[in-house]
Coordinates of all heavy atoms in Angstrom, one line a residue:
M1 N 124.0 -77.7 61.9 CA 124.8 -78.5 62.8 C 124.4 -80.1 62.4 O 123.2 -80.3 62.4 CB 124.4 -78.2 64.3 CG 125.0 -79.2 65.1 SD 125.1 -79.0 67.0 CE 124.0 -77.7 67.4
S2 N 125.4 -80.9 62.3 CA 125.2 -82.3 61.9 C 124.8 -83.1 63.2 O 124.9 -82.7 64.3 CB 126.3 -82.9 61.2 OG 127.4 -82.9 62.1
H3 N 124.4 -84.3 62.9 CA 124.1 -85.2 64.0 C 125.4 -85.6 64.9 O 125.3 -85.7 66.0 CB 123.4 -86.4 63.5 CG 122.1 -86.3 62.8 ND1 121.0 -86.0 63.5 CD2 121.7 -86.3 61.5 CE1 120.0 -85.8 62.7 NE2 120.4 -86.1 61.5
V4 N 126.5 -85.6 64.1 CA 127.7 -86.0 64.9 C 128.0 -84.8 65.9 O 128.5 -85.0 66.9 CB 128.9 -86.1 63.9 CG1 130.2 -86.3 64.6 CG2 128.5 -87.4 63.0
D5 N 127.9 -83.5 65.4 CA 128.1 -82.4 66.2 C 127.2 -82.4 67.5 O 127.6 -82.0 68.6 CB 128.0 -81.1 65.5 CG 129.1 -80.9 64.4 OD1 130.2 -81.4 64.6 OD2 128.9 -80.1 63.5
A6 N 125.9 -82.7 67.2 CA 125.0 -82.7 68.3 C 125.4 -83.8 69.3 O 125.2 -83.6 70.5 CB 123.6 -83.0 67.7
L7 N 125.9 -85.0 68.8 CA 126.3 -86.0 69.6 C 127.5 -85.7 70.5 O 127.5 -85.9 71.8 CB 126.6 -87.2 68.8 CG 126.8 -88.6 69.6 CD1 125.8 -89.0 70.5 CD2 127.3 -89.6 68.7
I8 N 128.4 -84.9 69.9 CA 129.6 -84.5 70.6 C 129.2 -83.5 71.7 O 129.7 -83.6 72.8 CB 130.7 -84.0 69.7 CG1 131.2 -85.2 68.8 CG2 131.8 -83.2 70.3 CD1 132.1 -84.6 67.7
N9 N 128.4 -82.6 71.3 CA 128.0 -81.5 72.3 C 127.2 -82.1 73.4 O 127.4 -81.7 74.6 CB 127.1 -80.5 71.6 CG 127.8 -79.5 70.7 OD1 129.1 -79.4 70.8 ND2 127.1 -78.9 69.7
G10 N 126.3 -83.1 73.2 CA 125.5 -83.8 74.2 C 126.5 -84.6 75.1 O 126.4 -84.5 76.3
G11 N 127.5 -85.1 74.5 CA 128.5 -85.9 75.3 C 129.3 -84.8 76.2 O 129.6 -85.2 77.3
L12 N 129.6 -83.7 75.7 CA 130.3 -82.7 76.6 C 129.5 -82.2 77.6 O 130.0 -81.9 78.7 CB 130.9 -81.7 75.6 CG 132.1 -82.1 74.6 CD1 132.4 -80.9 73.8 CD2 133.2 -82.6 75.4
V13 N 128.2 -82.0 77.3 CA 127.4 -81.3 78.3 C 127.0 -82.2 79.5 O 127.0 -82.0 80.5 CB 126.1 -80.7 77.5 CG1 125.1 -80.3 78.6 CG2 126.4 -79.6 76.7
F14 N 126.5 -83.6 79.0 CA 126.0 -84.4 80.0 C 127.1 -85.3 80.6 O 126.8 -86.1 81.5 CB 124.8 -85.2 79.4 CG 123.6 -84.4 79.1 CD1 123.3 -84.2 77.7 CD2 122.9 -83.8 80.0 CE1 122.2 -83.3 77.4 CE2 121.8 -83.0 79.7 CZ 121.5 -82.8 78.4
G15 N 128.2 -85.3 80.0 CA 129.3 -86.1 80.6 C 129.2 -87.6 80.1 O 128.3 -88.1 79.5
P16 N 130.1 -88.3 80.7 CA 130.2 -89.9 80.4 C 129.0 -90.6 80.9 O 128.9 -91.7 80.5 CB 131.5 -90.3 81.0 CG 131.8 -89.3 82.1 CD 131.1 -88.0 81.6
G17 N 128.4 -90.1 81.9 CA 127.2 -90.9 82.4 C 126.1 -91.1 81.4 O 125.6 -92.3 81.3
L18 N 125.9 -90.3 80.4 CA 125.0 -90.4 79.4 C 125.3 -91.6 78.5 O 124.7 -92.4 78.0 CB 124.6 -89.1 78.7 CG 123.6 -89.3 77.5 CD1 122.2 -89.6 78.2 CD2 123.5 -87.9 76.9
A19 N 126.7 -91.5 78.1 CA 127.2 -92.4 77.2 C 127.2 -93.9 77.9 O 127.0 -94.8 77.1 CB 128.7 -92.0 76.8
L20 N 127.5 -93.9 79.1 CA 127.5 -95.2 79.8 C 126.0 -95.7 79.8 O 125.8 -97.0 79.7 CB 128.0 -95.1 81.2 CG 128.0 -96.2 82.1 CD1 128.9 -97.2 81.6 CD2 128.5 -96.0 83.6
A21 N 125.0 -94.8 80.2 CA 123.6 -95.3 80.2 C 123.3 -95.7 78.9 O 122.5 -96.8 78.6 CB 122.9 -94.2 80.7
A22 N 123.6 -94.9 77.9 CA 123.2 -95.5 76.4 C 123.8 -96.9 76.1 O 123.2 -97.7 75.5 CB 123.6 -94.4 75.4
G23 N 125.0 -97.0 76.5 CA 125.7 -98.3 76.3 C 125.1 -99.4 77.0 O 124.9 -100.5 76.4
V24 N 124.8 -99.2 78.1 CA 124.2 -100.3 79.0 C 122.8 -100.5 78.5 O 122.4 -101.8 78.3 CB 124.0 -99.8 80.5 CG1 123.0 -100.8 81.2 CG2 125.3 -99.8 81.1
L25 N 122.0 -99.6 77.9 CA 120.6 -99.9 77.5 C 120.8 -100.6 76.1 O 120.1 -101.6 75.8 CB 120.0 -98.5 77.1 CG 118.6 -98.5 76.6 CD1 117.7 -99.3 77.5 CD2 118.1 -97.1 76.3
T26 N 121.7 -100.2 75.2 CA 122.0 -100.9 73.9 C 122.5 -102.4 74.2 O 122.0 -103.3 73.5 CB 123.2 -100.1 73.2 OG1 122.7 -98.7 73.0 CG2 123.3 -100.8 71.9
A27 N 123.3 -102.6 75.1 CA 123.8 -104.0 75.4 C 122.5 -104.7 75.9 O 122.4 -106.1 75.6 CB 124.9 -104.0 76.4
R28 N 121.8 -104.2 76.8 CA 120.7 -105.0 77.3 C 119.6 -105.2 76.2 O 119.1 -106.4 76.2 CB 119.9 -104.0 78.5 CG 118.8 -104.7 79.0 CD 118.2 -103.9 80.2 NE 117.0 -104.6 80.8 CZ 116.0 -104.0 81.3 NH1 116.0 -102.6 81.2 NH2 115.0 -104.7 81.8
T29 N 119.4 -104.3 75.3 CA 118.4 -104.6 74.4 C 118.9 -105.6 73.3 O 118.2 -106.5 73.0 CB 118.2 -103.3 73.5 OG1 117.7 -102.2 74.4 CG2 117.3 -103.4 72.4
C30 N 120.3 -105.5 73.0 CA 120.9 -106.6 72.1 C 120.8 -108.0 72.8 O 120.5 -109.0 72.1 CB 122.3 -106.2 71.7 SG 122.4 -104.8 70.7
C31 N 121.1 -108.0 74.0 CA 121.0 -109.4 74.7 C 119.7 -109.9 74.8 O 119.6 -111.2 74.6 CB 121.8 -109.3 76.1 SG 123.5 -109.0 76.2
R32 N 118.7 -109.0 75.1 CA 117.3 -109.5 75.1 C 116.9 -110.0 73.8 O 116.2 -111.0 73.7 CB 116.5 -108.4 75.6 CG 115.0 -108.9 75.8 CD 114.0 -107.7 76.4 NE 114.4 -107.7 77.7 CZ 114.0 -106.7 78.5 NH1 113.2 -105.7 78.0 NH2 114.3 -106.6 79.8
W33 N 117.2 -109.3 72.7 CA 116.9 -109.7 71.4 C 117.5 -111.1 71.1 O 116.8 -111.9 70.5 CB 117.4 -108.7 70.4 CG 117.2 -109.1 69.0 CD1 116.0 -108.9 68.2 CD2 118.1 -109.6 68.0 NE1 116.2 -109.5 67.0 CE2 117.5 -109.9 66.9 CE3 119.5 -109.9 68.3 CZ2 118.3 -110.4 65.8 CZ3 120.1 -110.4 67.2 CH2 119.5 -110.7 65.9
A34 N 118.8 -111.3 71.4 CA 119.5 -112.5 71.1 C 118.8 -113.6 71.9 O 118.7 -114.8 71.3 CB 121.0 -112.3 71.4
A35 N 118.6 -113.5 73.1 CA 117.9 -114.5 73.9 C 116.5 -114.8 73.3 O 116.2 -116.0 73.2 CB 117.7 -114.0 75.4
D36 N 115.7 -113.8 72.9 CA 114.5 -114.1 72.4 C 114.5 -114.9 71.0 O 113.9 -115.9 70.8 CB 113.7 -112.8 72.1 CG 113.2 -112.2 73.4 OD1 113.1 -112.8 74.5 OD2 112.7 -110.9 73.3
R37 N 115.5 -114.5 70.2 CA 115.7 -115.2 69.0 C 116.2 -116.7 69.3 O 115.7 -117.6 68.7 CB 116.8 -114.5 68.2 CG 117.0 -115.1 66.8 CD 118.1 -114.2 66.1 NE 118.5 -114.8 64.9 CZ 118.0 -114.7 63.7 NH1 117.0 -113.8 63.6 NH2 118.5 -115.2 62.7
W38 N 117.0 -116.9 70.3 CA 117.5 -118.2 70.6 C 116.3 -119.1 71.1 O 116.1 -120.3 70.8 CB 118.6 -118.2 71.7 CG 119.0 -119.6 72.0 CD1 120.0 -120.3 71.4 CD2 118.8 -120.3 73.1 NE1 120.4 -121.4 71.9 CE2 119.6 -121.6 73.1 CE3 117.9 -120.2 74.2 CZ2 119.5 -122.5 73.9 CZ3 117.9 -121.0 75.2 CH2 118.6 -122.3 75.1
H39 N 115.5 -118.5 72.1 CA 114.3 -119.2 72.5 C 113.4 -119.6 71.4 O 112.8 -120.7 71.4 CB 113.6 -118.4 73.6 CG 114.4 -118.4 74.9 ND1 114.5 -119.5 75.6 CD2 114.9 -117.4 75.6 CE1 115.3 -119.3 76.7 NE2 115.5 -117.9 76.8
D40 N 113.2 -118.7 70.4 CA 112.3 -119.0 69.3 C 112.8 -120.1 68.5 O 112.1 -120.9 68.0 CB 112.2 -117.7 68.4 CG 111.3 -116.6 69.2 OD1 110.6 -116.9 70.1 OD2 111.4 -115.5 68.5
R41 N 114.2 -120.2 68.3 CA 114.7 -121.3 67.6 C 114.5 -122.6 68.3 O 114.2 -123.7 67.7 CB 116.2 -121.1 67.3 CG 116.5 -120.0 66.3 CD 118.0 -120.0 66.0 NE 118.2 -119.1 64.9 CZ 119.5 -118.8 64.5 NH1 120.4 -119.4 64.9 NH2 119.6 -118.0 63.5
V42 N 114.7 -122.6 69.6 CA 114.6 -123.8 70.5 C 113.1 -124.2 70.4 O 112.8 -125.4 70.2 CB 114.9 -123.6 71.9 CG1 114.6 -124.7 72.9 CG2 116.5 -123.4 72.0
D43 N 112.1 -123.3 70.4 CA 110.7 -123.6 70.4 C 110.4 -124.3 69.0 O 109.7 -125.2 68.9 CB 109.9 -122.3 70.6 CG 109.9 -122.0 72.1 OD1 110.3 -122.8 73.0 OD2 109.5 -120.8 72.4
A44 N 111.0 -123.7 67.9 CA 110.7 -124.2 66.7 C 111.2 -125.7 66.4 O 110.6 -126.5 65.9 CB 111.3 -123.3 65.6
R45 N 112.5 -125.9 67.0 CA 113.0 -127.1 66.9 C 112.2 -128.2 67.7 O 111.9 -129.3 67.3 CB 114.4 -127.2 67.5 CG 115.3 -126.5 66.5 CD 116.8 -126.6 67.1 NE 117.7 -125.8 66.1 CZ 118.8 -125.2 66.6 NH1 119.1 -125.2 67.9 NH2 119.5 -124.5 65.7
R46 N 111.7 -127.8 68.9 CA 110.9 -128.7 69.6 C 109.6 -129.0 69.0 O 109.1 -130.1 68.9 CB 110.6 -128.2 71.1 CG 111.7 -128.2 72.0 CD 111.3 -127.5 73.4 NE 112.4 -127.5 74.2 CZ 112.6 -126.6 75.3 NH1 111.6 -125.9 75.5 NH2 113.6 -126.7 75.9
Y47 N 109.0 -128.0 68.3 CA 107.7 -128.2 67.5 C 108.0 -129.0 66.4 O 107.2 -130.0 66.2 CB 107.2 -126.8 67.1 CG 106.0 -126.9 66.3 CD1 104.7 -127.1 66.9 CD2 106.0 -126.9 64.9 CE1 103.6 -127.2 66.0 CE2 104.9 -127.1 64.1 CZ 103.8 -127.1 64.7 OH 102.6 -127.2 64.0
A48 N 109.1 -128.9 65.7 CA 109.5 -129.8 64.6 C 109.6 -131.2 65.0 O 109.0 -132.3 64.3 CB 110.5 -129.3 63.8
A49 N 110.2 -131.4 66.1 CA 110.5 -132.8 66.6 C 109.2 -133.5 67.1 O 109.0 -134.7 66.7 CB 111.6 -132.7 67.8
T50 N 108.4 -132.7 67.7 CA 107.0 -133.2 68.2 C 106.1 -133.6 66.9 O 105.6 -134.7 66.9 CB 106.4 -132.2 69.0 OG1 107.2 -132.0 70.2 CG2 105.0 -132.7 69.4
A51 N 106.3 -132.8 66.0 CA 105.3 -133.0 64.7 C 105.9 -134.2 64.1 O 105.1 -135.0 63.5 CB 105.4 -131.7 63.9
A52 N 107.2 -134.4 64.0 CA 107.8 -135.6 63.3 C 107.4 -136.9 64.1 O 107.0 -137.9 63.4 CB 109.3 -135.5 63.3
R53 N 107.5 -136.9 65.5 CA 107.1 -138.0 66.2 C 105.6 -138.2 66.0 O 105.2 -139.5 65.9 CB 107.3 -137.8 67.7 CG 108.8 -138.0 68.1 CD 109.0 -138.0 69.6 NE 108.6 -136.9 70.3 CZ 109.5 -135.8 70.5 NH1 110.7 -135.8 70.0 NH2 108.9 -134.8 71.2
L54 N 104.7 -137.3 66.1 CA 103.3 -137.6 65.8 C 103.1 -138.1 64.3 O 102.1 -138.9 64.2 CB 102.6 -136.2 66.0 CG 102.4 -135.8 67.4 CD1 101.7 -134.4 67.5 CD2 101.7 -136.7 68.3
H55 N 103.9 -137.6 63.4 CA 103.7 -138.1 62.1 C 104.1 -139.6 62.0 O 103.4 -140.5 61.4 CB 104.6 -137.5 61.1 CG 104.5 -137.9 59.7 ND1 103.4 -137.7 59.0 CD2 105.3 -138.5 58.9 CE1 103.6 -138.3 57.6 NE2 104.8 -138.8 57.7
Q56 N 105.1 -140.1 62.8 CA 105.5 -141.4 62.7 C 104.5 -142.3 63.5 O 104.2 -143.4 63.1 CB 106.9 -141.5 63.6 CG 108.0 -141.0 62.7 CD 109.4 -141.1 63.5 OE1 109.3 -141.3 64.8 NE2 110.5 -140.8 63.0
V57 N 104.0 -141.8 64.6 CA 102.8 -142.5 65.2 C 101.7 -142.7 64.4 O 101.0 -143.8 64.4 CB 102.4 -141.8 66.6 CG1 101.3 -142.3 67.2 CG2 103.6 -142.0 67.6
A58 N 101.3 -141.6 63.6 CA 100.1 -141.7 62.8 C 100.4 -142.7 61.7 O 99.5 -143.5 61.3 CB 99.9 -140.4 62.2
A59 N 101.5 -142.9 61.2 CA 101.9 -143.8 60.1 C 101.8 -145.2 60.6 O 101.2 -146.0 59.9 CB 103.3 -143.4 59.5
V60 N 102.3 -145.4 61.8 CA 102.3 -146.8 62.4 C 100.7 -147.1 62.7 O 100.4 -148.2 62.4 CB 103.2 -146.8 63.6 CG1 102.8 -148.1 64.4 CG2 104.5 -146.7 63.2
T61 N 100.1 -146.2 63.2 CA 98.7 -146.4 63.5 C 97.9 -146.8 62.3 O 97.0 -147.7 62.3 CB 98.1 -145.2 64.1 OG1 98.8 -145.0 65.3 CG2 96.6 -145.5 64.6
D62 N 98.1 -146.0 61.2 CA 97.4 -146.4 59.8 C 97.7 -147.7 59.4 O 96.9 -148.5 59.0 CB 97.8 -145.2 58.9 CG 97.2 -143.9 59.1 OD1 96.3 -143.7 59.9 OD2 97.7 -142.9 58.6
A63 N 99.1 -148.1 59.6 CA 99.6 -149.4 59.1 C 98.8 -150.4 59.9 O 98.3 -151.5 59.4 CB 101.0 -149.5 59.1
V64 N 98.7 -150.3 61.2 CA 98.0 -151.2 62.1 C 96.6 -151.3 61.8 O 96.0 -152.4 61.7 CB 98.4 -151.0 63.6 CG1 97.4 -151.9 64.4 CG2 99.9 -151.2 63.9
M65 N 95.8 -150.2 61.7 CA 94.5 -150.1 61.4 C 94.2 -150.8 60.0 O 93.0 -151.3 59.7 CB 94.0 -148.8 61.5 CG 94.1 -148.3 63.0 SD 93.3 -149.2 64.1 CE 91.6 -149.0 63.8
A66 N 95.1 -150.7 59.1 CA 94.8 -151.3 57.8 C 95.0 -152.9 57.7 O 94.6 -153.5 56.7 CB 95.9 -150.7 56.7
M67 N 95.5 -153.4 58.8 CA 95.6 -154.9 58.7 C 94.3 -155.5 59.0 O 93.4 -155.0 59.6 CB 96.5 -155.3 60.1 CG 97.9 -154.9 60.0 SD 98.5 -155.4 61.6 CE 100.1 -156.0 61.1
P68 N 94.2 -156.8 58.5 CA 92.9 -157.6 58.7 C 92.8 -157.9 60.2 O 93.9 -158.1 60.9 CB 93.2 -158.8 57.8 CG 94.3 -158.5 57.0 CD 95.1 -157.5 57.6
A69 N 91.6 -158.0 60.7 CA 91.4 -158.1 62.1 C 92.0 -159.4 62.6 O 92.4 -159.5 63.7 CB 89.8 -158.1 62.4
D70 N 91.8 -160.5 61.8 CA 92.5 -161.8 62.3 C 94.0 -161.7 62.4 O 94.5 -162.3 63.5 CB 92.1 -162.9 61.3 CG 90.6 -163.2 61.1 OD1 89.9 -162.8 62.2 OD2 90.3 -163.7 60.2
L71 N 94.6 -161.1 61.5 CA 96.1 -161.0 61.7 C 96.5 -160.1 62.9 O 97.4 -160.4 63.6 CB 96.7 -160.2 60.4 CG 98.2 -160.0 60.3 CD1 98.9 -161.4 60.5 CD2 98.6 -159.4 59.0
L72 N 95.7 -159.0 63.1 CA 96.1 -158.1 64.2 C 95.7 -158.9 65.6 O 96.6 -158.8 66.4 CB 95.1 -156.9 64.1 CG 95.3 -155.8 65.2 CD1 96.7 -155.3 65.1 CD2 94.3 -154.7 65.0
T73 N 94.9 -159.7 65.6 CA 94.5 -160.4 66.8 C 95.6 -161.4 67.1 O 96.0 -161.5 68.2 CB 93.0 -161.1 66.7 OG1 92.2 -160.1 66.5 CG2 92.7 -161.8 68.0
A74 N 96.0 -162.1 66.1 CA 97.0 -163.1 66.2 C 98.4 -162.4 66.7 O 99.1 -163.0 67.5 CB 97.2 -163.8 64.8
Q75 N 98.6 -161.2 66.1 CA 99.9 -160.5 66.6 C 99.9 -160.2 68.0 O 100.9 -160.3 68.6 CB 100.2 -159.4 65.6 CG 100.8 -159.8 64.3 CD 101.2 -158.6 63.3 OE1 100.9 -157.5 63.7 NE2 101.9 -158.9 62.4
L76 N 98.6 -159.5 68.4 CA 98.6 -159.1 69.7 C 98.7 -160.2 70.7 O 99.2 -160.1 71.7 CB 97.3 -158.2 69.9 CG 97.3 -157.0 69.2 CD1 95.9 -156.3 69.2 CD2 98.4 -156.1 69.7
K77 N 98.0 -161.3 70.4 CA 98.0 -162.5 71.2 C 99.4 -163.1 71.4 O 99.9 -163.5 72.4 CB 97.0 -163.7 70.6 CG 96.8 -164.7 71.6 CD 95.8 -165.8 71.0 CE 95.6 -166.9 72.0 NZ 94.6 -167.8 71.6
A78 N 100.2 -163.1 70.4 CA 101.5 -163.6 70.3 C 102.4 -162.7 71.2 O 103.2 -163.2 72.0 CB 102.1 -163.6 68.9
K79 N 102.2 -161.4 71.1 CA 103.0 -160.4 71.9 C 102.5 -160.6 73.5 O 103.4 -160.6 74.3 CB 102.7 -159.1 71.6 CG 103.5 -158.6 70.2 CD 103.3 -157.2 69.9 CE 103.9 -156.8 68.7 NZ 103.9 -155.4 68.2
Y80 N 101.3 -160.8 73.7 CA 100.8 -161.0 75.0 C 101.4 -162.3 75.7 O 101.8 -162.4 76.8 CB 99.3 -161.0 75.1 CG 98.7 -161.3 76.4 CD1 98.7 -160.2 77.3 CD2 98.1 -162.4 76.9 CE1 98.1 -160.3 78.6 CE2 97.7 -162.6 78.0 CZ 97.6 -161.5 79.0 OH 97.0 -161.7 80.2
D81 N 101.3 -163.3 74.9 CA 101.9 -164.7 75.3 C 103.4 -164.5 75.6 O 103.9 -165.1 76.5 CB 101.6 -165.8 74.3 CG 100.2 -166.1 74.2 OD1 99.4 -165.7 75.2 OD2 99.7 -166.7 73.2
A82 N 104.1 -163.8 74.7 CA 105.6 -163.7 74.9 C 105.9 -162.9 76.1 O 106.8 -163.3 76.8 CB 106.1 -162.9 73.7
A83 N 105.0 -162.0 76.5 CA 105.2 -161.2 77.8 C 104.9 -162.1 79.0 O 105.7 -162.1 79.9 CB 104.3 -159.9 77.7
D84 N 103.9 -162.9 78.8 CA 103.6 -163.8 80.0 C 104.7 -164.9 80.1 O 105.2 -165.1 81.3 CB 102.3 -164.7 79.7 CG 101.0 -163.8 80.1 OD1 101.2 -162.8 80.8 OD2 100.1 -164.3 79.6
N85 N 105.4 -165.4 79.0 CA 106.5 -166.3 79.2 C 107.7 -165.6 79.8 O 108.4 -166.2 80.6 CB 106.7 -166.9 77.8 CG 105.7 -167.8 77.2 OD1 104.9 -168.3 78.0 ND2 105.6 -168.0 76.0
A86 N 108.0 -164.3 79.3 CA 109.1 -163.7 80.0 C 108.9 -163.4 81.4 O 109.9 -163.5 82.2 CB 109.2 -162.4 79.2
R87 N 107.8 -163.1 81.9 CA 107.4 -162.9 83.3 C 107.7 -164.2 84.1 O 108.2 -164.2 85.1 CB 106.0 -162.4 83.6 CG 105.9 -160.9 83.5 CD 104.6 -160.5 83.9 NE 104.1 -159.5 82.9 CZ 103.0 -159.6 82.3 NH1 102.3 -160.6 82.4 NH2 102.7 -158.6 81.3
E88 N 107.2 -165.4 83.6 CA 107.3 -166.7 84.2 C 108.8 -167.1 84.3 O 109.2 -167.7 85.2 CB 106.5 -167.7 83.4 CG 105.1 -167.5 83.6 CD 104.2 -168.5 82.8 OE1 104.9 -169.4 82.3 OE2 103.0 -168.4 82.8
E89 N 109.6 -166.7 83.2 CA 111.0 -167.0 83.2 C 111.8 -166.3 84.2 O 112.7 -166.7 84.8 CB 111.7 -166.8 81.8 CG 111.1 -167.9 80.8 CD 111.7 -167.5 79.4 OE1 112.5 -166.6 79.3 OE2 111.2 -168.2 78.5
K90 N 111.4 -165.0 84.6 CA 112.1 -164.2 85.6 C 111.9 -164.7 87.0 O 112.7 -164.5 87.9 CB 111.7 -162.8 85.5 CG 112.2 -162.0 84.2 CD 111.7 -160.6 84.2 CE 112.3 -159.9 83.1 NZ 111.9 -158.4 83.1
K91 N 110.7 -165.5 87.2 CA 110.4 -165.9 88.6 C 111.2 -167.0 89.0 O 112.1 -167.6 88.8 CB 108.9 -166.3 88.6 CG 108.0 -165.1 88.6 CD 106.5 -165.6 88.7 CE 105.6 -164.5 88.5 NZ 104.2 -164.9 88.7

């Protein structure tokens, strides 16, 4: 007896309830697999985006730390003064 014959005999003996239960179980398993796969892709994209942002921050930090101290101080002072002027102009 082949597998197909056994499947037909099982369907005749147990009726459509077994086929319905098997279909529901298969659909549920496939949907769960697809959802897990989608969540894994979303997590991978978030991880890649976070890694890219951290890489950009590290590159900017390295560039700033490589500046001479006098230049860095002058730039920070200019930004601070510009912020103070902007606050005074709003008042």
Side-chain angles (χ1 to χ4, degrees):
M1 178 170 11
S2 70
H3 294 290
V4 175
D5 292 335
L7 183 63
I8 292 171
N9 288 340
L12 292 173
V13 170
F14 296 109
L18 181 64
L20 180 63
V24 168
L25 181 64
T26 302
R28 181 177 178 214
T29 303
C30 289
C31 289
R32 182 177 286 170
W33 173 80
D36 287 345
R37 185 173 166 96
W38 183 78
H39 286 297
D40 289 344
R41 284 185 176 178
V42 169
D43 290 344
R45 287 181 185 151
R46 285 182 186 155
Y47 176 80
T50 301
R53 282 193 297 272
L54 288 175
H55 178 71
Q56 289 173 348
V57 168
V60 169
T61 303
D62 288 343
V64 169
M65 296 305 290
M67 291 175 139
D70 295 338
L71 178 61
L72 181 60
T73 304
Q75 284 185 350
L76 290 175
K77 187 174 181 180
K79 286 182 182 182
Y80 182 76
D81 292 341
D84 278 346
N85 290 338
R87 277 191 223 119
E88 289 176 6
E89 289 174 5
K90 285 184 180 180
K91 290 181 181 181

